[in-house]
Amino acid sequence: MKNEVHPYSEWIDLANRRLGGQVLSCSDDFFAEMENLIKPEAPVFIDGKYTDRGKWMDGWESRRKRVAGYDWAILKLGTQGRIKGFNVCTTHFAGNAPKQVSIEACNSKTAPDNSTEWTMIVAQQDVNPDSNNFIDCDSAGVWTHLRINSFPDGGIARLRVYGEAVMDSNWFLPGEPVDLAFVKNGARPVECSDMFFSSMSNLIMPDRGVNMGDGWETKRRRGGRECDWIIIKLAGTGSIKKVVVDTAHFKGNYPDGFSLLGITMPEGEHPQETSEWVPVIERQKLTADAEHFYKDEVISGEQTFTHIKLNMYPDGGISRLRVFGFLNTDK
């Protein structure tokens, strides 16, 4: 699913386990566990595989309801955010999918309980069995938890929650530097030259990469442009003070070098590859499987930027990019 194309491809999955997403509770998961809802892998079907409760299914599945009502599951998002759309994926649930779903949301510092006030953000509507069900979300709220309601019962393979993370500014001390390129602070990649082997979204994920597939890697280029590149919308308008480029696990395919550029764009607009970029760090050499730290090399001073562009010479893989600086509080 690394380069899957869908209506919300420009947004991140806020329920992603790598961000800290969790399934907290549900009304019933007799046939298949609630935790499967946010598994990162695409759902699979294994013919002839059964458990002592019935057919093994790769998703969340409740028993057949014999009383009035519906089933539900509560999720904690990996980061608070504004939601643009959902995929209520019922793949492989052909004769056992719910007829309808609705989705509610709340913003809470603690796990929801019986006193939680939920806001309906997706009204009750039909879903198709054995399908990707893409559903727009018009809510402008910032949410931390969701409750998906399944009418009257049945199975959902995956729930993807696409949107933009919103930084929790209360977490930071006055004057504390912020990782402007961190996904949980609201950064997101908007375009890149190539991501043949792995997704550009990996570049700004938490922690160090766990293997070579957990980074941004391009194909081997044979002529054409000078370098591969990626454009990232920063968490906010800010000045850049230090940078970390991590080539963890990239040993025979690390880039020879990189450079970093910045630009300021009006709200809601994104730059192009050929826009008038300002140098932040001139071209630097990289080595295999290592973190590289840059502070004195940052030449952009007090200039502020909304987007950065990382040039990777000539191609290869970078695991993580960290861009520390200060938010412009006037923006």
Side-chain angles (χ1 to χ4, degrees):
M1 300 178 74
K2 64 186 180 184
N3 296 330
E4 110 184 281
V5 177
H6 53 75
Y8 315 110
S9 293
E10 66 177 295
W11 307 106
I12 65 166
D13 180 5
L14 298 173
N16 192 316
R17 281 182 176 173
R18 288 197 293 171
L19 301 184
Q22 295 176 273
V23 185
L24 299 179
S25 60
C26 70
S27 57
D28 182 284
D29 58 354
F30 183 87
F31 285 117
E33 296 81 6
M34 63 183 183
E35 289 85 1
N36 293 334
L37 270 177
I38 59 172
K39 284 172 63 175
E41 303 86 6
V44 298
F45 184 85
I46 302 177
D47 191 29
K49 182 175 180 178
Y50 288 83
T51 73
D52 59 357
R53 293 194 171 193
K55 179 70 183 75
W56 180 90
M57 294 296 290
D58 189 10
W60 164 53
E61 185 181 3
S62 62
R63 74 194 79 197
R64 299 190 187 209
K65 192 170 291 297
R66 302 309 189 198
V67 296
Y70 57 91
D71 286 311
W72 52 264
I74 293 176
L75 292 80
K76 176 185 179 295
L77 299 180
T79 176
Q80 67 175 10
R82 296 185 181 90
I83 299 170
K84 305 298 181 179
F86 298 91
N87 181 9
V88 180
C89 173
T90 58
T91 298
H92 306 305
F93 288 91
N96 50 349
K99 177 177 172 53
Q100 295 182 316
V101 299
S102 67
I103 302 175
E104 299 168 279
C106 71
N107 189 303
S108 175
K109 296 295 184 184
T110 59
D113 56 27
N114 291 337
S115 65
T116 298
E117 294 186 7
W118 294 93
T119 299
M120 186 69 68
I121 60 173
V122 171
Q124 188 171 337
Q125 58 187 268
D126 291 345
V127 290
N128 294 317
D130 195 20
S131 302
N132 288 313
N133 293 277
F134 295 107
I135 302 173
D136 291 340
C137 179
D138 297 326
S139 169
V142 176
W143 308 113
T144 60
H145 296 77
L146 299 176
R147 182 168 68 186
I148 181 166
N149 302 311
S150 169
F151 298 89
D153 53 36
I156 298 171
R158 300 288 188 269
L159 178 65
R160 304 296 189 223
V161 184
Y162 298 108
E164 59 179 342
V166 174
M167 183 187 303
D168 183 0
S169 56
N170 291 329
W171 171 248
F172 295 97
L173 301 172
E176 181 181 357
V178 172
D179 184 354
L180 299 169
F182 185 39
V183 61
K184 294 183 74 168
N185 287 340
R188 60 185 176 92
V190 295
E191 189 179 1
C192 69
S193 58
D194 180 271
M195 50 177 171
F196 184 86
F197 288 110
S198 49
S199 172
M200 63 182 180
S201 297
N202 292 333
L203 195 64
I204 62 173
M205 283 290 170
D207 308 317
R208 297 194 74 194
V210 298
N211 54 41
M212 198 175 72
D214 187 17
W216 168 51
E217 185 183 4
T218 66
K219 67 172 73 76
R220 301 186 188 208
R221 280 193 310 102
R222 308 303 189 200
R225 60 183 177 273
E226 180 186 17
C227 62
D228 281 314
W229 51 267
I230 183 172
I231 296 172
I232 296 171
K233 180 185 181 297
L234 298 176
T237 302
S239 58
I240 297 171
K241 300 303 179 184
K242 60 182 182 179
V243 172
V244 180
V245 179
D246 188 359
T247 58
H249 307 292
F250 290 99
K251 299 175 182 179
N253 50 354
Y254 68 94
D256 177 72
F258 86 99
S259 65
L260 191 69
L261 305 101
I263 198 170
T264 301
M265 299 294 293
E267 182 67 29
E269 295 185 21
H270 297 308
Q272 304 299 313
E273 177 195 0
T274 56
S275 296
E276 295 184 7
W277 295 92
V278 174
V280 176
I281 297 177
E282 299 285 3
R283 183 167 175 173
Q284 305 288 326
K285 293 283 285 186
L286 291 170
T287 61
D289 192 24
E291 289 182 295
H292 305 78
F293 302 89
Y294 305 95
K295 182 168 68 69
D296 296 339
E297 296 83 357
V298 175
I299 60 175
S300 54
E302 298 302 317
Q303 288 180 275
T304 59
F305 306 105
T306 59
H307 296 72
I308 55 170
K309 179 186 176 192
L310 176 77
N311 290 327
M312 180 169 64
Y313 301 94
D315 53 30
I318 295 175
S319 179
R320 295 290 189 270
L321 175 67
R322 306 298 185 210
V323 179
F324 296 96
F326 299 100
L327 288 169
N328 184 348
T329 56
D330 295 332
K331 297 293 182 180

